[in-house]
């Protein structure tokens, strides 16, 4: 019989426990449960008579019950039983535990029988069986003869050969292609085949390797091959072979457990090895001399990778991290700790720009490679779910443009790099592809499987099967009609077949007359027509908590959007009520990006601002006040530890490629107005997917009803996107030579999401308001500074009334202008007690000062720049506070002041200047905008605005701001 074993690094026992690489509890479990069972199955019974041999009869007992804690590495009580000599040397106080010829007086026997302390084995582990204890006594009584050759009992293991029955192919465990593309190495248990890469003909084989071969790699010159393997729990060994002759050149030993990888440096001068004992060792490849050992990981090290220049070594571990090491001296450069499961594979992209890793959490992780020479943060670029089970291995094509991945569920996929977009999913494999080999041509690769089969593939690249955020469609045709048909509900209209045909635009007066009642209306729409279905009930004093939905004529819901989860998370620290837009504490938040959609228990929100320090969470849109929802969903309460997901919206009807996370299909339905302006009243924005008739159904979300107090009005009309703007800070009092802040806040109506331009004209002499002022697309407010010149004179009432404020935007392709009135009475205040000025930072390349013009700063997405703020203290000596996460006033969306600390941006007593950082998130859009600083001192004095220019950067999603990590 031939045993079929799982891939080693996914074995549930080997993954977290065992000797000596796991925890002490794991070692005890291994010795107490697994080792006795294995040894009972494979070792012969104790010799009942005749000569007792130490190697055959005594060493297995010591190895099973003693060596886990008493070995040359651990030496509990300074005792090691690893060799016969170390056993006889004894421990720290008892000396030789054996008295030849006097078994009952030997400390070893007394301890095992509980007659001496410390008692062995410990109480939580099984006792030595009576038969084996009797064998130990007999051996000591007969003189305790040692072995003919004293070797470590942890370096040898006698395992009987079990011949296979039938025709069984050996499982392929690793594979590699020579640099010239001519030879293929295929590894299995104790054997490596060297094959012709073109015809897969076996040229010769390397036999008799110690155990399963977990990794195989050609030297850079193609003349040698290194294999990594060993015997689990005993030793790890890397072997260097001469390819031409098949001769074993040398062995690299020293690991106390099986090896999972052995990698040549790009120049072939060094060899790095690592495995289950958590140690990384560097060797000189030419003579096998050890250079250094690195022991920092808290779990098995499954894979190693050198950077293309050989200066940095990456290690992927069961402790859920990738660590980067400087090869020259072993200094740790960074720990990449975002994954949430064991990592089985790590690689640098050929252009050395990125680091890739994958493993048990089913994700592909991508970091930008920064720490090339000194310790630095390597920012997260992306983390995406790739398979529904653990990713066992991957391979990069030689041109670095595509990635091949294999998972335990036998799936095989192709991804584009560096954007990690799935390009093709091959048919499910006959077995797990344990090794993927990219061919010398970028469109060819080979899969070697656990069932011993091989298959060549041609790289297939298809268009991405995901889509970005869908645009809100607008209704075609002319502006909204004013001819509204006024109707009254007529019962019966509960059943779908009873629905009355309504011609829109219409207003229908109805009532939910009894508990469980529903009213159904039928209407026609053409494909692409954008309609609004609005309920007025709670606002009119009704007790109705309305719910409205659109159905097909057969009662099926009309699908609005498909949301594919791409990252999972949960609420930490505390849950959330149904109103708050601040402090969304989410697990693994560093993998999330602004403007991404977050799905939780049926509610969809969008991320607006990153957590600002350790005791904070995300802000979601609109950034203040009651939070908004998307896709007609309703804000609900969320419990601590409740799951949530970052989701990507896809068009209705999409069948997303499975990635191991849920898919949520949202229909056209609404409980509460998503912008929260209408309280419990419903607002549903419907876009007809096709020509035809549809049903609108109105109910009470609780199932309540009543003839006199559950009335409503349903408006059914074409969509009317629009906006309103309110002004905060009217009737300003401005000090000479200083400024006061004016805030413009928009309410966006029925899906309007575009930019809104604010113009302030006819200001009194000596007063200016920097512009242009714009409420950005999708945002709710903009800030401006009204400044008074040092020689300004108080304006009269007529001058204040002459000021004109307008808000304009392009809505459905047409300009829309709203008059906002004036700024109220403008007054000249007393001289300022403190004034602020924004100055360039220490990098002149990101600033430009032009006499007579505002300072200009320049930044790219994903980067940080420095600037300074200088305070002139006229009559104020106290602390000058400038806010916390809102300290950068009117910065473009995605930009924020980044070094606020726990107390915010401030200048302490006795100081006049402070450096601060501005960081741009990766999603920041190119553009130009005025921003300023404001102090709460002296009733809110504001600095003169300066320009911040967001320059084009790398593609969105390809970088993440380092400050967030």
């Amino acid at each position: 019989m031939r045993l079929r074993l799982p891939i080693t690094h996914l074995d549930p026992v080997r993954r977290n426990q065992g000797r000596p690489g796991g925890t002490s509890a794991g070692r005890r479990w291994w010795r107490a449960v697994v080792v006795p069972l294995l040894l009972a199955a494979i070792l012969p019974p104790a010799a009942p008579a005749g000569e007792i041999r130490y190697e055959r009869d005594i060493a297995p007992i010591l190895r099973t019950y003693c060596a886990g804690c008493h070995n040359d590495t651990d030496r509990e009580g300074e005792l090691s039983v690893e060799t016969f000599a170390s056993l006889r040397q004894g421990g720290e106080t008892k000396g030789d535990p054996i008295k030849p010829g006097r078994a009952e007086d030997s400390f070893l026997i007394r301890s095992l029988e509980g007659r001496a302390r410390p008692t062995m084995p410990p109480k939580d582990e099984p006792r030595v069986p009576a038969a084996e204890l009797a064998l130990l006594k007999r051996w000591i009584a007969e003189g305790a003869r040692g072995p003919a050759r004293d070797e470590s009992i942890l370096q040898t293991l006698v395992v009987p050969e079990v011949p296979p029955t039938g025709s069984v192919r050996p499982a392929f465990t690793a594979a590699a292609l020579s640099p010239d593309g001519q030879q293929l190495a295929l590894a299995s248990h104790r054997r490596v085949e060297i094959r012709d890469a073109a015809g897969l003909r076996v040229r010769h084989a390397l036999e008799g390797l110690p155990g399963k071969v977990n990794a195989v790699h050609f030297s850079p010159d193609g003349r040698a091959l290194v294999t990594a393997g060993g015997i689990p729990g005993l030793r790890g060994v890397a072997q260097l072979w001469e390819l031409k002759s098949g001769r074993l050149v040398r062995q690299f030993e020293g690991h106390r457990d099986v090896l999972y990888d052995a990698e040549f440096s790009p120049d072939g001068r060094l060899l790095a090895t690592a495995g289950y004992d958590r140690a990384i060792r560097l060797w000189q490849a030419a003579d096998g001399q050890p250079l250094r050992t690195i022991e920092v990981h808290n779990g098995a090290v499954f894979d190693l990778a050198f950077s293309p220049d050989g200066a940095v070594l990456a290690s992927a571990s069961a402790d859920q991290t990738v660590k980067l090491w400087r090869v020259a001296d072993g200094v740790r450069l960074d720990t990449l700790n975002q994954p949430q499961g064991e990592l089985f594979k790590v690689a640098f992209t050929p252009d050395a720009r990125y680091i890739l890793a994958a493993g048990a959490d089913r994700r592909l992780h991508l970091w930008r490679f920064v720490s090339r020479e000194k310790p630095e943060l390597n920012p997260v670029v992306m983390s995406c779910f790739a398979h529904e089970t653990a990713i066992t291995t991957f391979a990069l094509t030689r041109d670095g443009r595509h990635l091949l991945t294999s998972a335990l569920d036998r799936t095989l996929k192709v991804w584009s790099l560096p954007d990690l977009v799935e390009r093709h999913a091959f048919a499910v494999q006959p077995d797990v592809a344990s090794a993927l080999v990219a061919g010398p041509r970028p469109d060819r690769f080979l899969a070697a499987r656990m069932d011993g089969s091989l298959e060549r593939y041609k790289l297939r690249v298809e268009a991405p099967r995901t889509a970005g955020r869908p645009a809100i469609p607008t209704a075609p045709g002319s502006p909204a009609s004013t001819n509204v048909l006024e109707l009254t509900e007529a019962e019966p209209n509960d059943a779908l077949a009873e629905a009355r045909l309504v011609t829109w635009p219409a207003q229908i007066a109805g009532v939910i007359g009894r508990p469980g009642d529903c009213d159904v209306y039928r209407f026609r729409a053409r494909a692409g027509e954008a309609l609004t279905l609005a309920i007025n009930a709670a606002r009119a004093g009704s007790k109705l908590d309305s719910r409205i939905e659109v159905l097909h004529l057969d009662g099926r819901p009309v699908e609005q959007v498909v949301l594919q989860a791409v990252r999972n998370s949960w609420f930490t620290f505390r849950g959330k009520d149904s109103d708050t837009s601040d402090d969304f504490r989410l697990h693994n938040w560093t993998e999330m990006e602004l403007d991404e959609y977050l799905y939780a228990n049926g509610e969809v929100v969008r991320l607006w601002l990153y957590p600002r320090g350790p005791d904070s969470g995300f802000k979601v849109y609109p950034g203040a006040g009651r939070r908004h929802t998307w896709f007609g969903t309703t804000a609900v309460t969320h419990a601590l530890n409740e799951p949530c997901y970052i989701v990507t919206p896809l068009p209705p009807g999409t069948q997303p490629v499975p990635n191991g996370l849920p898919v949520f299909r949202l229909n056209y339905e609404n409980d509460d107005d998503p912008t929260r302006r209408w309280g419990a009243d419903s607002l549903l924005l419907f876009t007809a997917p096709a020509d035809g008739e549809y049903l609108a159904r109105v109910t009470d979300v609780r199932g309540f009803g009543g003839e006199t107090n559950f009335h409503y009005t349903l408006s059914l009309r074409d969509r009317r996107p629009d906006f309103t703007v309110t002004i905060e800070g009217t009737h300003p009092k401005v000090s000479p030579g200083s400024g006061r802040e004016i805030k413009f806040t928009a309410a966006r109506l029925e899906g309007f999401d575009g930019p809104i331009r604010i113009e302030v004209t006819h200001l009194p002499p000596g007063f200016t308001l920097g512009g242009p002022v714009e409420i950005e697309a999708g945002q709710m407010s903009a800030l401006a500074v009204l400044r008074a010149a040092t020689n300004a004179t108080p304006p009269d009432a007529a001058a204040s009334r002459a000021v004109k404020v307008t808000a304009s935007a392009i809505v459905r392709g047409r300009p829309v202008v709203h008059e906002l009135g004036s700024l109220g009475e403008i007054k000249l205040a007393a001289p300022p007690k403190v004034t602020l000025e924004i100055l360039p930072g220490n990098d002149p390349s990101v600033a430009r000062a032009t006499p007579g013009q505002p300072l200009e700063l320049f930044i790219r997405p994903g980067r940080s720049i420095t600037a300074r703020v200088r305070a002139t203290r006229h009559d104020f000596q106290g602390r000058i506070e400038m806010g916390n996460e809102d300290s950068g006033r009117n910065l473009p969306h995605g930009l924020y002041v980044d070094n606020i600390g726990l107390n915010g941006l401030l200048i302490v007593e006795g100081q006049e200047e402070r450096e601060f950082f501005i960081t741009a998130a990766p999603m920041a859009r190119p553009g130009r905008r005025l921003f300023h600083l404001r102090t709460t001192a002296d009733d809110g004095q504001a600095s003169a605005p300066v320009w911040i220019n967001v320059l084009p950067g790398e593609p969105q999603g390809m970088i993440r701001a380092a400050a967030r990590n």
Side-chain angles (χ1 to χ4, degrees):
M1 176 181 71
R2 186 177 187 85
L3 297 178
R4 176 71 179 279
L5 299 177
I7 298 174
T8 305
H9 60 234
L10 298 181
D11 187 327
V13 173
R14 296 293 308 186
R15 197 161 66 187
N16 296 311
Q17 300 164 326
R19 200 226 53 79
T23 63
S24 58
R27 294 198 299 268
R28 290 196 299 270
W29 182 87
W30 178 266
R31 294 194 306 272
V33 180
V34 179
V35 172
L37 292 175
L38 291 174
L39 293 178
I42 65 177
L43 294 179
E51 179 186 3
I52 297 178
R53 294 174 54 190
Y54 176 84
E55 304 96 311
R56 181 192 65 192
D57 305 317
I58 303 304
I61 301 174
L62 299 176
R63 180 165 55 226
T64 302
Y65 298 100
C66 306
C69 296
H70 301 285
N71 57 74
D72 288 350
T73 298
D74 294 339
R75 283 189 176 273
E76 291 190 18
E78 295 302 317
L79 172 65
S80 171
V81 301
E82 187 165 334
T83 64
F84 181 74
S86 64
L87 167 66
R88 298 300 300 271
Q89 184 178 350
E92 57 188 357
T93 58
K94 302 299 181 181
D96 189 347
I98 295 172
K99 293 184 178 181
R102 299 162 54 192
E104 296 298 327
D105 295 334
S106 296
F107 175 76
L108 177 64
I109 300 301
R110 291 188 294 120
S111 176
L112 293 175
E113 291 182 336
R115 294 187 288 114
R117 294 189 179 277
T119 299
M120 293 295 167
K123 292 182 179 180
D124 57 349
E125 298 188 10
R127 315 303 300 171
V128 178
E132 296 186 4
L133 184 60
L135 189 62
L136 283 172
K137 289 182 177 181
R138 179 183 158 198
W139 170 66
I140 296 174
E142 293 179 359
R145 181 178 299 178
R149 179 181 173 185
D150 194 9
E151 295 181 313
S152 168
I153 63 174
L154 297 180
Q155 299 294 316
T156 59
L157 180 65
V158 178
V159 180
E161 291 288 339
V162 181
T165 59
S167 176
V168 179
R169 293 180 296 191
F172 288 125
T173 56
L177 187 68
S178 62
D180 62 4
Q182 301 299 311
Q183 299 183 85
L184 180 69
L186 292 167
S188 56
H189 182 71
R190 304 190 65 183
R191 173 184 169 91
V192 175
E193 295 176 351
I194 308 300
R195 299 195 182 194
D196 175 73
L200 298 181
R201 177 181 57 86
V202 177
R203 293 181 175 179
H204 60 90
L206 312 176
E207 304 279 3
L209 283 77
K212 180 166 77 78
V213 180
N214 292 314
V216 59
H217 297 286
F218 287 89
S219 61
D221 61 9
R223 297 179 180 178
L225 189 78
V226 66
T227 59
I231 302 174
L234 299 182
R235 65 188 178 111
V237 59
Q239 296 178 307
L240 185 67
W241 304 81
E242 184 182 75
L243 273 178
K244 186 175 182 180
S245 63
R247 178 178 63 91
L248 177 62
V249 178
R250 68 179 52 85
Q251 296 196 145
F252 300 82
E253 299 185 89
H255 288 272
R256 299 183 59 80
D257 214 314
V258 66
L259 289 186
Y260 291 130
D261 200 13
E263 292 271 356
F264 285 107
S265 61
D267 60 8
R269 298 175 58 188
L270 303 178
L271 188 73
T273 58
Y276 191 73
D277 64 359
R278 302 177 288 180
I280 302 169
R281 296 178 184 268
L282 282 172
W283 317 76
Q284 291 183 165
D287 56 12
Q289 290 298 309
L291 296 177
R292 66 184 56 86
T293 299
I294 301 170
E295 296 181 295
V296 176
H297 277 293
N298 294 319
V301 180
F302 291 126
D303 196 35
L304 300 170
F306 280 96
S307 61
D309 62 1
V312 177
L313 179 69
S315 54
S317 171
D319 64 11
Q320 305 182 16
T321 70
V322 169
K323 296 184 186 295
L324 303 180
W325 313 94
R326 190 163 59 199
V327 173
D329 53 12
V331 168
R332 181 166 31 158
L333 301 176
D334 194 12
T335 295
L336 312 179
N337 56 7
Q338 289 78 14
Q340 300 177 47
E342 298 96 325
L343 292 173
F344 304 140
K345 190 72 175 176
V346 65
F348 292 86
T349 55
D351 60 8
R353 296 180 64 195
Y354 303 102
I355 304 163
L356 271 162
D361 66 355
R362 302 169 288 166
R363 307 182 188 198
L364 294 173
H365 300 276
L366 188 72
W367 296 269
R368 187 158 52 87
F369 181 30
V370 173
S371 57
R372 300 169 187 267
E373 298 178 353
K374 61 181 180 180
E376 291 186 76
L377 189 70
N378 296 270
V380 176
V381 174
M382 193 178 302
S383 177
C384 67
F385 277 87
H387 291 266
E388 297 192 52
T389 57
I391 301 172
T392 57
T393 191
F394 64 66
L396 285 80
T397 56
R398 293 200 176 188
D399 61 4
R401 296 178 58 189
H402 292 94
L403 178 73
L404 318 165
T405 59
S406 171
L408 271 183
D409 60 2
R410 301 181 296 160
T411 53
L412 186 63
K413 295 184 178 182
V414 179
W415 306 80
S416 57
L417 284 174
D419 53 356
L420 291 182
V421 173
E422 182 178 327
R423 296 296 185 175
H424 184 70
F426 290 95
V428 174
Q429 302 289 290
D431 206 337
V432 176
S434 52
L436 299 173
V437 180
R441 291 175 51 180
D443 63 340
R444 295 288 191 274
F445 72 96
L446 179 139
R449 306 189 185 101
M450 290 297 293
D451 63 359
S453 63
L454 296 170
E455 189 164 351
R456 297 182 188 272
Y457 287 95
K458 183 175 181 180
L459 200 65
R460 297 184 60 183
V461 178
E462 300 167 352
R465 296 180 66 181
T466 61
R469 177 185 173 199
I472 298 175
T474 56
S478 60
S481 170
T482 58
N483 297 318
V484 179
L485 180 65
E486 295 186 2
L487 302 172
T488 302
E489 173 207 2
E491 292 283 358
N493 65 345
D494 295 7
L496 302 183
E498 299 169 340
R500 175 182 178 184
L501 179 62
V502 174
T503 302
W504 53 273
Q507 286 190 350
I508 308 165
V511 61
I512 299 299
R514 65 185 185 281
D517 186 20
C518 67
D519 294 342
V520 185
Y521 306 94
R522 185 161 49 98
F523 65 94
R524 294 190 179 97
R526 299 193 308 272
E529 278 188 321
L531 307 183
T532 295
L533 291 83
I535 295 289
N536 185 351
R539 288 172 291 160
S542 172
K543 293 184 179 180
L544 178 69
D545 186 355
S546 62
R547 178 175 185 263
I548 190 166
E549 55 192 321
V550 175
L551 310 173
H552 292 286
L553 291 183
D554 60 3
R556 290 178 297 111
V558 180
E559 191 169 83
Q560 177 185 182
V561 67
V562 177
L563 302 178
Q564 182 173 33
V566 294
R567 283 183 292 282
N568 65 336
S569 183
W570 58 85
F571 288 89
T572 63
F573 184 62
R574 59 180 168 225
K576 299 303 300 177
D577 61 24
S578 60
D579 285 337
T580 309
S581 62
D582 193 9
D583 203 24
F584 271 62
R585 308 276 184 107
L586 304 175
H587 173 71
N588 215 27
W589 69 268
T590 56
E591 292 188 357
M592 302 176 187
E593 187 52 84
L594 302 187
D595 283 350
E596 288 186 324
Y597 293 98
L598 179 75
Y599 177 97
N601 194 24
E603 178 186 3
V604 181
V605 297
R606 288 182 74 194
L607 304 179
W608 187 76
L609 180 67
Y610 303 121
R612 309 301 300 127
D615 191 27
S616 67
F618 273 106
K619 284 189 175 185
V620 300
Y621 275 82
R626 302 178 73 185
R627 68 177 179 263
H628 292 183
T629 60
W630 265 258
F631 308 113
T633 58
T634 299
V636 295
T637 298
H638 303 290
L640 176 65
N641 295 324
E642 179 182 299
C644 54
Y645 304 87
I646 294 295
V647 294
T648 297
L650 306 173
T654 301
Q655 299 295 328
V657 178
N659 63 3
L661 290 177
V663 172
F664 306 100
R665 298 183 179 274
L666 302 187
N667 304 318
Y668 279 108
E669 58 187 21
N670 178 252
D671 174 6
D672 298 339
D673 167 27
T675 62
R676 315 303 296 279
R677 294 182 301 112
W678 289 1
D681 286 344
S682 304
L683 175 69
L684 181 61
L685 305 181
F686 171 67
T687 301
D691 293 352
E693 292 189 349
Y694 299 90
L695 300 175
R697 181 163 61 187
V698 180
T699 56
D700 184 280
V701 74
R702 305 157 299 181
F704 294 176
E707 287 293 340
T708 60
N709 51 11
F710 282 82
H711 57 274
Y712 66 88
T713 299
L714 168 64
S715 295
L716 177 60
R717 54 176 172 77
D718 58 346
R719 193 175 307 173
R720 301 169 189 172
D722 202 351
F723 63 93
T724 63
V725 175
T726 57
I727 306 174
E728 298 178 41
T730 54
H731 307 290
K733 298 177 181 179
V734 188
S735 299
S738 187
R740 296 290 179 179
E741 192 174 82
I742 308 293
K743 184 175 183 179
F744 303 93
T745 301
R748 298 179 176 276
L749 310 177
E750 300 191 22
F752 173 66
D753 208 30
I756 303 170
R757 185 183 180 95
I758 310 295
E759 291 189 82
V760 181
T761 57
H762 304 109
L763 285 167
F767 289 81
T768 57
L769 188 139
V773 180
E774 182 181 87
I775 301 175
E776 297 176 274
Q779 303 304 308
M780 304 301 164
S781 64
L783 301 169
V785 176
L786 178 65
R787 292 186 59 80
T790 55
N791 59 353
T793 58
D796 56 24
S800 294
R801 287 195 300 269
V803 175
K804 183 179 180 181
V805 184
T806 59
S808 61
I810 302 299
V811 181
R812 290 203 292 192
R814 295 181 174 86
V816 175
V817 179
H818 294 299
E819 302 288 343
L820 306 182
S822 70
L823 294 178
E825 185 179 3
I826 300 174
K827 294 183 178 181
L828 194 64
K833 297 179 180 181
V834 60
T835 54
L836 301 178
E837 182 182 9
I838 300 174
L839 302 172
N842 55 16
D843 185 355
S845 66
V846 299
R848 181 170 63 201
T850 303
Q853 298 295 325
L855 172 71
E856 294 201 57
L857 300 176
F858 300 86
I859 193 171
R860 293 186 185 275
R863 309 296 190 212
S864 296
I865 63 172
T866 60
R868 291 177 297 139
V869 54
R870 177 183 296 165
T872 301
R873 298 177 182 271
H874 304 287
D875 186 22
F876 183 83
Q877 302 306 318
R879 177 175 294 190
I880 302 171
E881 298 179 344
M882 290 165 278
N884 289 284
E885 70 271 6
D886 60 346
S887 54
R889 311 294 288 176
N890 206 52
L891 281 170
H893 177 55
L895 273 66
Y896 50 93
V897 173
D898 202 19
N899 60 335
I900 59 174
L902 294 177
N903 297 315
L905 183 63
L906 58 85
I907 299 176
V908 299
E909 298 88 339
Q911 295 186 8
E912 297 181 349
E913 195 169 293
R914 163 75 185 270
E915 182 183 57
F916 63 96
F917 289 78
I918 300 174
T919 293
M923 47 62 63
R925 292 183 287 267
R928 190 167 186 256
R929 190 172 178 86
L930 286 169
F931 87 98
H932 60 278
L933 300 176
R934 183 194 63 173
T935 176
T936 56
D938 195 14
D939 197 27
Q941 298 288 353
S943 72
V946 302
W947 288 106
I948 183 81
N949 297 274
V950 182
L951 305 176
E954 296 186 55
Q956 182 174 343
M958 295 314 302
I959 51 179
R960 287 187 181 271
R964 294 166 45 217
N965 299 295

